[in-house]
Amino acid sequence: MTDAYAVFGNPIAHSKSPYIHRQFAEQAGQDMSYTKQLVPEGEFGAAADAFFLSGGQGLNVTVPFKMDAYSYAARLTQRARRAGAVNTLALQEDGTLLGDNTDGIGMINDMHNLGWPLAGQRVLVLGAGGAVRGILQPLMEQNPAEVVIANRTFHKAEQLAKGFHDLGDIQALTFEQLEGRQFDLVINGTSASLSGELPPLPESLLAPGASCYDMMYGPEKTVFLQWAEAHGAGRLADGLGMLVGQAAEAFYLWRDIRPEVVPVISALRRKMGKKSS
Ligand code: ATR
């Protein structure tokens, strides 16, 4: 029987996950189906029960259900526990469900593919919401020299820094306190890009040739990446590689095969470009 996988979210119509996983399955010669399912708010548990009872093998979970999936999983990986959110559920041989979070490792793998250094780097993370919480453990495991979290609402940054300080040098700052500081890598994890906004950043924030990564993506360069380009960044990337990277790690968890991400990123980029022209 064909193994069944799906992504649950709300909204879900524009999810790229079915395309990505079908590409992976074809590449790896795997007999599997992957569908998307619009789940009404408050009905995650019932929908997941129905999916797994009908023989489903694994789920991806996106907005707004990552916390529901966290509670739903019988067991959690260490990184999912730290993230406080689950984006991948995998049915185990003993019939239990393992909850994982592959967002952070997806981003780190993308940076590795791009050839960006991480060890010893001074890293600034903008934002302190769920997206940022999801990447902190994998980021800190790369042994950066320091991680600074800056957020509009300072106490959220402070809470995150407290929650991860056992993993390395991590500190919370306000945007104003960034004045006079320089970073080798700046990651935008705010949702400001979605509305075309930018946090207030000092002019001299970027070390010469710094790398700038936006966890968001779109057919056009995000406002953060436009700012970075105008302020001396040497390397820019948006979050499309992270999207494909998190999917690749989910696929690996389910099928024990690590698919090639680069051709899938390129294909998605071409599709997006066509839509915008
Ligand atoms: P997500 O799950 O995408 O991280 P979230 O938990 O709502 O969503 O977090 C959104 C993040 O973007 C927060 O850090 C938010 O800052 P606040 O904590 O101060 O709300 C940040 N953000 C959103 N719009 C912003 C803007 N216009 N300027 C600066 N930060 C912004």
Side-chain angles (χ1 to χ4, degrees), residues 247-270:
E249 289 304 305
F251 192 91
Y252 175 61
L253 188 72
W254 295 330
R255 313 295 299 186
D256 212 20
I257 296 170
R258 262 213 179 81
E260 287 281 332
V261 291
V262 174
V264 181
I265 296 171
S266 306
L268 274 174
R269 188 80 67 194
R270 280 196 302 275

Side-chain angles (χ1 to χ4, degrees), residues 127-132 151-153 156 175 189-192 195 197-199 216:
V132 167
N151 195 46
R152 183 173 59 182
T153 312
K156 287 205 228 162
F175 290 127
T190 70
S191 50
S195 43
E197 289 171 39
L198 193 65
M216 300 284 164

Side-chain angles (χ1 to χ4, degrees), residues 182-199:
Q182 276 207 326
F183 296 90
D184 308 301
L185 168 62
V186 181
I187 300 167
N188 183 26
T190 70
S191 50
S193 301
L194 283 178
S195 43
E197 289 171 39
L198 193 65

Side-chain angles (χ1 to χ4, degrees), residues 9 15 23 38-39 43 62 72 74 118 121 131 146 154 185 187 212 214 251 253 259 274-275:
S15 172
Q23 297 287 309
L38 178 70
V39 175
E43 291 182 24
T62 185
Y72 189 80
L118 291 167
Q121 301 288 289
E146 61 166 340
F154 176 67
L185 168 62
I187 300 167
C212 290
D214 201 327
F251 192 91
L253 188 72
K274 275 193 200 125
K275 265 186 209 146

Side-chain angles (χ1 to χ4, degrees), residues 1-2 16 27 62 98 102 123 175 183 191 193 202 206 229 231-232 240-241:
M1 201 177 90
T2 300
K16 296 181 179 10
Q27 208 189 84
T62 185
L98 176 68
T102 64
V123 181
F175 290 127
F183 296 90
S191 50
S193 301
L206 303 181
E229 196 169 38
H231 290 81
L240 194 69

